[in-house]
Amino acid sequence: MDIGIVSMRYAKALIDYAYNSGKEDVLYREFSTLAHSFEKHPELREALLNPILSAKDKFALICTAAAGEQPTSEEFNRCIALIQKNRREGLLQYISLSFQTLYRRKKHIGTAKLTTAIPVSQEVEERIRQTASSLLHARMELQTEVNPEIEGGFIFDINDYRLDASIATQFKKVKQQFVDKNRRIV
């Protein structure tokens, strides 16, 4: 069974359902939160695959992962009920990621991730978002991350492209040049 094909079929059906019901923004928010929960808590996927947990407990777990303490939308509940009925809880992470991709494609939303050694101000973050948005002619979702291991500079991922201007990468390149040069000498 190809996980990508099955999850994409579910995501396409869910996105069509979302647009027909006019709740695509609500479902996108809930599936985005769910995908983020899967990313931050890998044990969530294991819990959904656990045969000891009842369907009711799994449903409650999924709803909590998607909305926290707030109640989930009726549309989201129906989508999860369908997934549970067909026993596809194990694919829920991939379904939510595919749903996000389809939603972004329909709404012309680009994704970007900025990794810096120190936190950037809201002003800089907004300026980067505006510049990327005007270049791509799309609305941008910008995620920022602080990673002191890059030592300085930044790493900017936009859609499928990466601009790596970090000090750590520059050091690695210089080191590799020295190693290559010394190999030729010996």
Side-chain angles (χ1 to χ4, degrees):
M1 170 181 62
D2 190 355
I3 292 172
I5 291 174
V6 174
S7 61
M8 187 55 82
R9 284 183 180 169
Y10 273 91
K12 284 180 182 178
L14 295 177
I15 200 88
D16 288 342
Y17 172 70
Y19 273 95
N20 289 338
S21 64
K23 300 289 186 175
E24 65 273 5
D25 296 331
V26 173
L27 283 173
Y28 175 70
R29 207 171 25 255
E30 290 173 336
F31 275 111
S32 296
T33 305
L34 183 61
H36 183 72
S37 295
F38 275 115
E39 182 181 331
K40 292 295 180 189
H41 306 286
E43 60 274 4
L44 176 61
R45 188 162 184 259
E46 293 171 16
L48 292 177
L49 294 173
N50 187 348
I52 296 173
L53 283 178
S54 68
K56 189 175 183 179
D57 291 339
K58 290 179 183 181
F59 184 81
L61 185 62
I62 293 166
C63 290
T64 302
E69 297 300 319
Q70 300 175 6
T72 53
S73 67
E74 181 62 33
E75 290 77 14
F76 183 80
N77 292 344
R78 292 183 73 194
C79 294
I80 299 305
L82 174 70
I83 291 169
Q84 280 190 308
K85 177 183 172 191
N86 295 329
R87 304 180 57 84
R88 299 291 191 190
E89 298 99 338
L91 299 177
L92 195 54
Q93 180 178 10
Y94 306 111
I95 292 169
S96 59
L97 291 171
S98 298
F99 184 89
Q100 284 181 309
T101 301
L102 293 173
Y103 178 87
R104 289 176 181 147
R105 199 175 295 153
K106 278 190 178 244
K107 294 280 191 168
H108 302 289
I109 298 173
T111 58
K113 180 179 178 184
L114 177 66
T115 306
T116 57
I118 58 172
V120 294
S121 67
Q122 283 293 109
E123 178 183 302
V124 171
E125 189 178 321
E126 188 58 36
R127 195 168 69 205
I128 291 170
R129 182 181 290 116
Q130 292 290 336
T131 303
S133 179
S134 66
L135 287 173
L136 293 177
H137 305 293
R139 202 172 92 220
M140 292 301 300
E141 287 182 355
L142 180 65
Q143 175 187 359
T144 58
E145 179 181 316
V146 176
N147 183 358
E149 292 179 8
I150 68 171
E151 298 176 15
F154 63 90
I155 300 172
F156 188 62
D157 297 309
I158 186 165
N159 291 339
D160 294 332
Y161 300 102
R162 173 174 268 199
L163 174 61
D164 191 345
S166 64
I167 301 296
T169 302
Q170 299 302 321
F171 282 149
K172 286 178 188 174
K173 287 180 181 178
V174 169
K175 179 182 175 184
Q176 189 61 42
Q177 287 174 352
F178 281 129
V179 168
D180 290 345
K181 190 173 185 177
N182 287 333
R183 282 187 188 150
R184 283 185 247 140
I185 293 173
V186 175

